[in-house]
């Protein structure tokens, strides 16, 4: 639904932008391909990171389950310290995989926010410049700001939806 919403908004808002002011429409949509490509590249990378976290969690759970079901054997043979180390290694692997995943997520979201804010900044800058030069009206400039927000954030959200789907 989110992906369809982003595509529909883009399909319906783009002709309106070009009807109002073609130059500012190109500025408004300038970074859109970058957002889409960045989201797709991120989706491929994040899928591998999620899989690594899932596998590390499975290993951690397996070690824990073995220790809990064989607690009497571990105690009778004095294997507690060995099993603690084994669990510690599995826990460290899970912690590292989760850390890498969170680092990738934070990088993606901060960079995608920067791209979206840069897009809004471009519309602000060029819109103000062309409005002051008399090439467009103040109302058109304000409309472009709203239309840009209507388009760029759902496209960015599409990247989040792809991540959630992975």
């Amino acid at each position: 639904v989110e992906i369809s919403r982003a595509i529909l908004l883009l399909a319906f808002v783009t002709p309106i932008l070009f009807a109002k002011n073609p130059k500012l429409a190109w500025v408004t949509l300038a970074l859109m391909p970058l957002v889409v490509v960045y989201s797709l590249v991120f989706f491929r990378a994040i899928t591998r990171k999620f899989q690594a976290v899932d596998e590390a969690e499975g290993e951690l759970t397996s070690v824990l389950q073995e220790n809990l079901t064989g607690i009497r054997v571990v105690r009778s043979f004095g294997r507690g310290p060995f099993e603690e180390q084994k669990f510690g290694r599995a826990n460290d692997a899970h912690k590292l995989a989760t850390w890498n995943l969170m680092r990738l997520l934070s990088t993606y979201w901060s960079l995608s926010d920067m791209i979206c804010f840069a897009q809004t900044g471009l519309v602000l800058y060029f819109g103000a410049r062309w409005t002051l030069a008399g090439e467009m009206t103040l109302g058109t400039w304000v409309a472009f700001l709203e239309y840009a927000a209507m388009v760029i954030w759902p496209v960015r959200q599409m990247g989040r939806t792809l991540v959630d789907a992975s």
Side-chain angles (χ1 to χ4, degrees), residues 122-140:
L122 288 172
V123 174
L124 277 169
Y125 173 76
F126 286 106
R129 191 171 164 188
W130 293 332
T131 300
L132 290 173
E135 294 180 33
M136 61 189 287
T137 66
L138 181 61
T140 302

Side-chain angles (χ1 to χ4, degrees), residues 2-3 6 35-44 46 50 105 108-109 112 152-166:
E2 284 293 324
I3 293 171
V35 171
V36 172
V37 169
Y38 183 59
S39 294
L40 293 174
V41 168
F42 175 72
F43 173 72
R44 296 176 94 194
I46 202 73
F50 269 118
L105 284 170
Y108 170 75
W109 291 118
S112 69
I152 193 78
W153 293 107
V155 170
R156 178 192 172 270
Q157 185 64 24
M158 184 175 60
R160 181 176 184 167
T161 304
L162 287 172
V163 169
D164 291 345
S166 74

Side-chain angles (χ1 to χ4, degrees), residues 72-139:
R72 288 185 181 166
V73 174
V74 170
R75 282 185 180 168
S76 65
F77 287 104
R79 305 276 295 170
F82 171 78
E83 293 298 327
E84 286 177 18
Q85 288 177 350
K86 186 176 170 184
F87 180 79
R89 284 191 300 272
N91 190 36
D92 288 343
H94 180 260
K95 180 177 67 174
L96 180 63
T98 303
W99 171 259
N100 289 334
L101 172 66
M102 292 302 133
R103 194 176 70 214
L104 184 62
L105 284 170
S106 67
T107 300
Y108 170 75
W109 291 118
S110 60
L111 286 176
S112 69
D113 281 350
M114 285 177 44
I115 293 169
C116 292
F117 286 127
Q119 182 69 45
T120 303
L122 288 172
V123 174
L124 277 169
Y125 173 76
F126 286 106
R129 191 171 164 188
W130 293 332
T131 300
L132 290 173
E135 294 180 33
M136 61 189 287
T137 66
L138 181 61

Side-chain angles (χ1 to χ4, degrees), residues 17-18 21-31 119 130 144:
L17 293 174
F18 280 100
N21 187 317
K23 280 193 333 185
L24 196 54
W26 284 114
V27 171
T28 303
L29 299 174
L31 296 181
Q119 182 69 45
W130 293 332
F144 261 90

